[in-house]
């Protein structure tokens, strides 16, 4: 590559291209003024301080083959969004991550791709459930390691719990996906119980922990499912939106 040859992962820039319009632009993952290298844990925390969500794009990473083999890093076969659990594991395990300010990838958005096909609620949420189940199991696994940084608890809870709340209880998904399908896929997500979810939430604030209580109610007491939905639609999301506006 012509840069530091000892990194586990290089984060690259890429060009976005919209085939239908010809519009294109370069996406710069890090500015030259930002740190020149990170450990995996430091990268998560750095992104959190900038209020950025980690972008789980494997095509925006160049990984050392020996690093992948040594850490048994693989994609899960037949899983949609398989890049998410791979990304978190790979970044966390990396001892040295180096941003490269070079465009290595050309990302073409085209009509008819998997990402633009007709939305299927059950199929979509089933795969989302498997992804979040894997992430929660990953958290419990690494949080027991002696060098684990406890600050990651809040960082990951913010990202993952927000995803669960949005995909199962935001207005768009409540309207698009029948309640029975959302219940079925949430039960899949928590088929091993709520222990991993509860462990991650210990470091969260009251609002997020209260929202988690309503999710458990939704799963365990379907007759009260409408009450859970109303909590998110009329209380949780309006408060979150108001807080985001105040921050901006």
């Amino acid at each position: 590559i012509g840069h530091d040859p000892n990194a586990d992962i290089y984060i690259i820039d890429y060009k976005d291209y919209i085939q239908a319009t010809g519009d294109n632009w370069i996406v710069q993952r890090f500015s030259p003024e930002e740190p020149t290298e990170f450990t995996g844990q430091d990268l998560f925390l750095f992104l959190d301080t900038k209020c950025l969500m980690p972008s789980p794009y494997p095509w925006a990473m160049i990984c050392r083959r020996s690093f992948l083999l040594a850490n048994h890093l693989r994609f899960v076969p037949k899983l949609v969004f398989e890049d998410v659990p791979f990304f978190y594991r790979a970044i966390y395990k990396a001892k040295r991550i180096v941003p490269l300010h070079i465009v290595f990838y050309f990302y073409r958005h085209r009509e008819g791709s998997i990402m633009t096909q007709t939305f299927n609620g059950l199929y979509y949420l089933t795969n989302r459930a498997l992804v979040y189940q894997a992430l929660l199991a990953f958290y419990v696994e690494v949080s027991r390691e002696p060098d684990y940084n406890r600050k990651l608890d809040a960082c990951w809870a913010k990202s993952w719990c927000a995803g669960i709340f949005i995909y199962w209880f935001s207005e768009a998904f409540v309207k698009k996906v029948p309640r029975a399908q959302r219940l079925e896929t949430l039960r899949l997500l928590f088929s091993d119980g709520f222990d991993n979810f509860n462990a991650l939430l210990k470091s969260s604030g009251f609002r997020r922990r209260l929202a988690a209580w309503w999710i458990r109610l939704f799963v365990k007491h379907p007759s009260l499912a409408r009450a859970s939905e109303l909590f998110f639609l009329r209380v949780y999301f309006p408060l979150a939106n108001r807080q985001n506006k105040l921050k901006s």
Side-chain angles (χ1 to χ4, degrees):
I1 294 177
H3 288 68
D4 190 329
N6 298 313
D8 294 320
I9 295 175
Y10 299 93
I11 304 293
I12 63 172
D13 295 342
Y14 60 92
K15 177 175 280 191
D16 256 333
Y17 171 73
I18 309 299
Q19 180 172 289
T21 63
D23 294 338
N24 66 90
W25 60 91
I26 291 175
V27 178
Q28 190 177 49
R29 310 301 303 283
F30 294 90
S31 71
E33 293 75 31
E34 291 173 338
T36 57
E37 69 172 70
F38 303 87
T39 66
Q41 296 192 50
D42 287 343
L43 178 57
F44 285 124
L45 296 173
F46 174 78
L47 293 173
D48 188 56
T49 61
K50 294 172 68 69
C51 296
L52 295 174
M53 300 282 279
S55 301
Y57 308 140
W59 39 263
M61 302 158 53
I62 300 175
C63 302
R64 181 173 298 283
R65 184 173 184 272
S66 58
F67 160 73
L68 296 178
L69 293 175
N71 289 282
H72 310 287
L73 293 167
R74 299 284 191 277
F75 289 105
V76 179
K78 301 181 180 179
L79 176 66
V80 180
F81 316 118
E82 74 283 3
D83 47 355
V84 180
F86 171 86
F87 170 84
Y88 275 93
R89 283 189 173 273
I91 293 296
Y92 178 84
K93 295 289 185 181
K95 303 301 181 186
R96 298 190 68 236
I97 300 172
V98 175
L100 294 182
H101 307 293
I102 304 172
V103 175
F104 267 92
Y105 195 83
F106 188 86
Y107 188 82
R108 178 167 61 102
H109 302 259
R110 62 179 180 83
E111 295 181 3
S113 69
I114 293 176
M115 296 301 293
T116 58
Q117 288 178 5
T118 303
F119 175 83
N120 179 307
L122 181 60
Y123 178 74
Y124 185 91
L125 288 184
T126 295
N127 281 274
R128 284 288 180 189
L130 293 172
V131 164
Y132 284 114
Q133 186 183 56
L135 290 177
L136 291 172
F138 160 70
Y139 162 72
V140 171
E141 172 193 332
V142 300
S143 64
R144 295 169 179 165
E145 297 175 352
D147 63 343
Y148 176 77
N149 189 332
R150 302 307 316 185
K151 292 180 179 179
L152 288 173
D153 288 14
C155 172
W156 289 345
K158 184 190 305 181
S159 176
W160 303 348
C161 293
I164 294 173
F165 300 159
I166 290 169
Y167 291 123
W168 276 271
F169 293 98
S170 65
E171 185 175 5
F173 280 83
V174 169
K175 287 183 176 179
K176 284 184 178 180
V177 186
R179 183 181 297 156
Q181 293 183 358
R182 286 182 288 112
L183 177 60
E184 177 184 346
T185 50
L186 265 186
R187 283 176 169 168
L188 172 62
L189 196 167
F190 297 114
S191 58
D192 296 330
F194 289 93
D195 289 350
N196 294 352
F197 187 51
N198 294 338
L200 183 62
L201 282 164
K202 285 181 179 179
S203 63
S204 293
F206 174 76
R207 181 163 55 88
R208 194 172 294 126
R209 286 185 282 112
L210 177 61
W213 184 86
W214 282 98
I215 286 182
R216 291 190 287 269
L217 184 73
F218 184 90
V219 173
K220 294 181 177 181
H221 303 283
S223 62
L224 300 175
R226 182 55 182 164
S228 298
E229 293 169 351
L230 288 174
F231 165 79
F232 280 98
L233 295 175
R234 297 185 181 178
V235 179
Y236 180 83
F237 287 119
L239 284 176
N241 291 336
R242 188 178 305 169
Q243 185 178 25
N244 290 336
K245 287 180 181 179
L246 291 174
K247 287 181 178 179
S248 60

